[in-house]
Amino acid sequence: MTFRHFLGYTLQQVSRRQISSTVRRQLVNKVPDKQKLFQEANGIPVHLKGGVGDAVLYRATMGLTVLGTAYVIYELVKAALPQKKD
């Protein structure tokens, strides 16, 4: 089967589908709940109010930032003070 035949077959399948305006599943609006959670004055920084996932992501980001900064400083010092060749 060539690409042209495959494309033609795929377009035929799509055109045979019934177009319907009915919604297959109802989505629950979670925005009001999230607004209440993030606007609550409980002393927790907004970037950590999302729960455990936010805390893990924050700590991983900070750890990588610290390690990356340390590595850049190490490389700069190594480049600024080259070893003497004997």
Side-chain angles (χ1 to χ4, degrees):
M1 179 181 274
T2 65
F3 180 73
R4 176 176 265 166
H5 289 107
F6 176 74
L7 184 61
Y9 177 76
T10 304
L11 290 174
Q12 285 177 355
Q13 293 296 322
V14 169
S15 67
R16 288 183 189 164
R17 292 183 186 165
Q18 292 180 351
I19 297 174
S20 175
S21 63
T22 60
V23 177
R24 293 191 177 154
R25 63 177 177 203
Q26 289 293 100
L27 297 176
V28 178
N29 186 7
K30 299 178 186 177
V31 173
D33 297 332
K34 293 291 184 179
Q35 283 177 336
K36 287 178 189 174
L37 173 72
F38 284 99
Q39 291 176 356
E40 187 177 313
N42 56 5
I44 299 174
V46 71
H47 60 276
L48 297 177
K49 284 190 178 185
V52 175
D54 282 352
V56 169
L57 184 61
Y58 175 75
R59 288 187 178 138
T61 302
M62 293 311 295
L64 287 171
T65 301
V66 168
L67 289 174
T69 302
Y71 182 70
V72 166
I73 291 171
Y74 167 76
E75 288 294 329
L76 286 171
V77 168
K78 191 170 90 172
L81 305 171
Q83 294 180 354
K84 295 180 183 179
K85 295 181 181 180
D86 290 332

